[in-house]
Amino acid sequence: MTMLYSRIVETYQKIEATTKRLEITKLLVDLLKETPSEIIDKVVYLTQGKLYPDYLGIEIGIAEKLAIKALAIVTAAKESRIADEYRRRGDLGDAAEALLAGKTQVGLRNERLTVEEVYGVLDRIAESSGPGSVESKIRQLTLLVGKASSMEAKYVVRTALGRLRLGVADMTLLDALAHALAEGKESKPVLEQAYNRSSDLGFVAKALASDGIDAIKSFKVTVGRPIRPMLAERLSDPQEILEKMNGSAAAEYKYDGLRIQAHLSSRKVTLFSRRLENITDQFPDLHTLLKEGISDDEIILEGEAVPVDPSTGELLPFQLVSQRRGRKYELEKTIQEIPVALFIELPRRREALEKIIRRSEKLDLSRQIIVNKPEQLDDFMQQAVADGCEGLMIKSIGPDSIYKAGARGWGWIKYKREYKSEMQDAVDLVVVGAFAGRGRRGGTYGALLLAAYDGKDDVFRTACKCGSGFKDEDLAKLPDILEKFKISHRHPR
DNA sequence: AATGGCTGCCC
DNA sequence: ATTCTGC
DNA sequence: GCAGAATGGGCAGCCATT
């Protein structure tokens, strides 16, 4: 059983032509129904713009610069030509389609691309490493695009970049799987739970396609396999927060660190990041801390790893702990230099946690109080900020306060200092440049380059970019407003 | 051996 | 991370 | 309100170049 890549492309094209969610889902349902079960995982991954679940950490390793090089080779054009087209359209896939316009044939051999072939080539690109691998990645992408029609090329390029931009992500795929291969809407929660427990949508799809919904129902949480993390909503008004929480809630320090999901079994400890990368090697100190400080050998915990000054216990800036994330070299040295503390908490599990934890300076429960008045939230917030935290996490303590993966509902709410205007500073900056937008920002600006005036030397010093907070309407006006100030040279100041 | 471009992940 | 938009 | 897609700074590693 095989499937032509053009079949997927057909669906992508139709999805791109609409913004209606129901229609998008229906189109995916039709595709998934026609997909042979042996390759349904591949179709799901490709539609997510990846090849494997996040936690395996296998990346294609192609982004815009390398894709531009490949497209330059395929189209026999200069890289600058491709880059111009990209700037103009805001999407490299669109640029590829335009530059290959009218190309329907697949080279000399009259063979059409299959899903397996596209996946296989991207997989080999992902595998490439070591000296010469950049060239090899480019060459392989070049050959793949060379075999594709212009329309196929558009989506091959977008998939390689990991940005399909179809308005389809995991929740829509789950919806579509429920309708295509199970009993429709009523199956969605079961599928979603399986996804939350496995963190692998391709795996869920495959199990569903080959073994049916009953196999999905038996998915269990497994120590050692990461679960999807619970996310929080944001609110800036303490009153509103308490209303959402039905009057009272647990308020906790929101520590400024790295989120850690720790899996403890009798055999080993495994640590995962928020996107479920395995970061066990980077935190052997936490490994030891957990082994010695937790008297339960089969448990999944979650917490925040925060850099600390061991002599004072003071919490230090996030950037420090991020020096440990992903580090492979000079690890021991960095661990010495940047010790971290782990603050753990789970909803409605505080009492249970207190029983199994040996609290210390380096391993503790998140600082928490129960609140039922807005003023208590503000007082506690002041304390949290004074203690080096970002603000508060407010967690429901009602009977419904379970761990819910994803940003589902209002179980957790974050309340940060920067949401409060009186706790912010303002700065005056001037626009000194702009960057081409991507995707829906194609043809307009993606971000502005801002600078501050330095009176001492009479120069403008660039401070940051600003690419958010624009309404579509604002964004549309910006080029008109700014274009007349555009200069082709670098301003002397 | 040092540096810089690029990519991906953390917030 | 924050912010905006269409459903 | 949900889901998705724009966007930020800053970190490390990998590879190519010098």
Side-chain angles (χ1 to χ4, degrees):
Chain A
M1 272 293 249
T2 183
M3 189 179 199
L4 289 177
Y5 186 61
S6 59
R7 176 62 190 84
I8 294 191
V9 164
E10 198 182 293
T11 299
Y12 289 169
Q13 272 187 276
K14 288 180 185 160
I15 289 176
E16 225 178 336
T18 181
T19 53
K20 296 188 174 64
R21 308 230 43 93
L22 294 175
E23 212 171 307
I24 290 174
T25 308
K26 176 69 169 60
L27 288 162
L28 283 173
V29 167
D30 293 343
L31 173 67
L32 292 168
K33 276 182 174 165
E34 283 179 42
T35 304
S37 60
E38 309 89 78
I39 59 164
I40 195 163
D41 50 346
K42 292 191 167 88
V43 170
V44 166
Y45 292 134
L46 288 174
T47 305
Q48 287 184 293
K50 54 189 175 190
L51 301 176
Y52 297 97
D54 285 337
Y55 66 83
L56 292 183
I58 302 171
E59 308 306 330
I60 296 173
I62 291 209
E64 54 188 36
K65 302 294 179 185
L66 298 192
I68 286 172
K69 285 181 190 286
L71 287 176
I73 297 171
V74 181
T75 59
K78 284 190 180 159
E79 282 175 35
S80 59
R81 169 86 175 87
I82 312 290
D84 283 345
E85 202 65 27
Y86 175 37
R87 258 194 296 280
R88 215 154 62 75
R89 297 175 184 273
D91 183 288
L92 255 186
D94 289 354
E97 185 201 355
L99 290 160
L100 295 166
K103 180 167 178 286
T104 54
Q105 194 46 277
V106 287
L108 294 174
R109 302 176 308 144
N110 190 16
E111 280 174 23
R112 301 181 64 192
L113 279 177
T114 61
V115 173
E116 291 91 331
E117 184 171 11
V118 171
Y119 185 93
V121 173
L122 293 176
D123 199 18
R124 281 196 290 284
I125 292 175
E127 274 174 11
S128 305
S129 68
S133 61
V134 169
E135 204 191 330
S136 165
K137 280 173 192 277
I138 293 170
R139 182 166 24 87
Q140 293 180 83
L141 183 61
T142 303
L143 293 174
L144 183 58
V145 172
K147 285 186 181 180
S149 69
S150 59
M151 192 54 69
E152 288 169 339
K154 167 175 171 173
Y155 294 106
V156 164
V157 168
R158 287 192 190 178
T159 306
L161 301 180
R163 308 166 68 95
L164 269 292
R165 303 188 36 252
L166 297 173
V168 173
D170 47 8
M171 286 303 131
T172 310
L173 276 165
L174 274 171
D175 224 351
L177 284 168
H179 283 93
L181 299 168
E183 286 120 44
K185 228 200 291 218
E186 57 185 283
S187 300
K188 172 96 183 283
V190 179
L191 287 176
E192 194 175 334
Q193 188 180 63
Y195 176 44
N196 291 339
R197 292 173 174 191
S198 64
S199 308
D200 185 344
L201 204 46
F203 183 66
V204 172
K206 187 121 188 191
L208 179 65
S210 45
D211 303 324
I213 189 78
D214 287 336
I216 297 296
K217 285 179 186 153
S218 63
F219 269 47
K220 294 275 186 294
V221 173
T222 311
V223 173
R225 168 174 268 215
I227 58 173
R228 291 182 66 236
M230 180 165 180
L231 304 177
E233 299 291 341
R234 288 173 304 157
L235 279 178
S236 55
D237 179 42
Q239 179 81 45
E240 210 180 326
I241 292 173
L242 284 171
E243 279 163 19
K244 286 274 184 197
M245 293 287 169
N246 292 321
S248 68
E252 281 168 22
Y253 276 15
K254 186 178 191 306
Y255 296 93
D256 191 10
L258 213 56
R259 186 155 176 190
I260 302 257
Q261 190 182 115
H263 290 236
L264 279 65
S265 77
S266 51
R267 292 184 308 284
K268 58 175 185 174
V269 173
T270 317
L271 306 175
F272 299 99
S273 69
R274 173 174 152 154
R275 279 199 48 189
L276 310 178
E277 306 273 330
N278 190 321
I279 50 171
T280 313
D281 290 346
Q282 281 69 36
F283 294 91
D285 46 347
L286 292 186
H287 184 136
T288 310
L289 220 48
L290 286 162
K291 269 249 172 285
E292 290 172 358
I294 301 289
S295 62
D296 187 326
D297 57 6
E298 194 76 4
I299 190 170
I300 298 174
L301 297 169
E302 203 176 50
E304 195 82 5
V306 190
V308 288
D309 180 333
S311 54
T312 62
E314 189 190 0
L315 303 183
L316 301 174
F318 161 77
Q319 273 86 348
L320 287 172
V321 69
S322 72
Q323 289 178 32
R324 286 181 59 176
R325 190 198 66 79
R327 180 173 287 277
K328 295 168 91 168
Y329 307 106
E330 297 188 303
L331 241 183
E332 289 84 2
K333 182 168 163 268
T334 314
I335 292 164
Q336 296 294 321
E337 284 170 5
I338 309 171
V340 294
L342 185 65
F343 297 95
I344 62 176
E345 191 52 67
L346 288 173
R348 273 176 66 214
R349 293 288 180 277
R350 197 171 178 94
E351 282 179 28
L353 286 172
E354 274 167 359
K355 287 192 187 119
I356 59 163
I357 186 176
R358 205 168 78 208
R359 299 171 77 153
S360 67
E361 189 106 298
K362 291 268 192 75
L363 178 67
D364 205 347
L365 300 182
S366 302
R367 184 136 180 217
Q368 181 191 89
I369 60 170
I370 304 297
V371 293
N372 51 32
K373 294 193 189 62
E375 308 81 62
Q376 293 174 305
L377 276 174
D378 276 329
D379 288 349
F380 199 46
M381 157 83 93
Q382 296 283 351
Q383 262 184 60
V385 171
D387 286 340
C389 293
E390 296 181 289
L392 301 177
M393 290 293 296
I394 323 298
K395 298 182 177 178
S396 165
I397 50 176
D400 60 333
S401 63
I402 54 164
Y403 192 92
K404 287 184 203 157
R408 317 291 286 170
W410 290 83
W412 291 2
I413 297 173
K414 52 185 150 180
Y415 179 43
K416 289 172 64 167
R417 131 172 103 159
E418 61 220 59
Y419 306 158
K420 289 176 67 71
S421 53
E422 65 267 32
M423 293 180 80
Q424 296 183 100
D425 288 326
V427 285
D428 287 320
L429 299 172
V430 291
V431 178
V432 296
F435 298 85
R438 297 167 177 78
R440 67 177 290 138
R441 300 260 185 107
T444 180
Y445 301 138
L448 302 178
L449 182 63
L450 304 181
Y453 180 63
D454 179 344
K456 186 163 79 68
D457 294 336
D458 189 35
V459 291
F460 290 90
R461 302 202 187 278
T462 54
C464 63
K465 297 204 283 180
C466 173
S468 192
F470 306 118
K471 300 264 208 294
D472 279 4
E473 203 185 338
D474 307 330
L475 209 49
K477 286 188 213 145
L478 278 176
D480 276 348
I481 298 171
L482 295 173
E483 203 68 23
K484 54 176 175 273
F485 300 113
K486 191 172 166 186
I487 53 175
S488 57
H489 55 278
R490 194 193 154 98
H491 192 279
R493 290 193 298 172

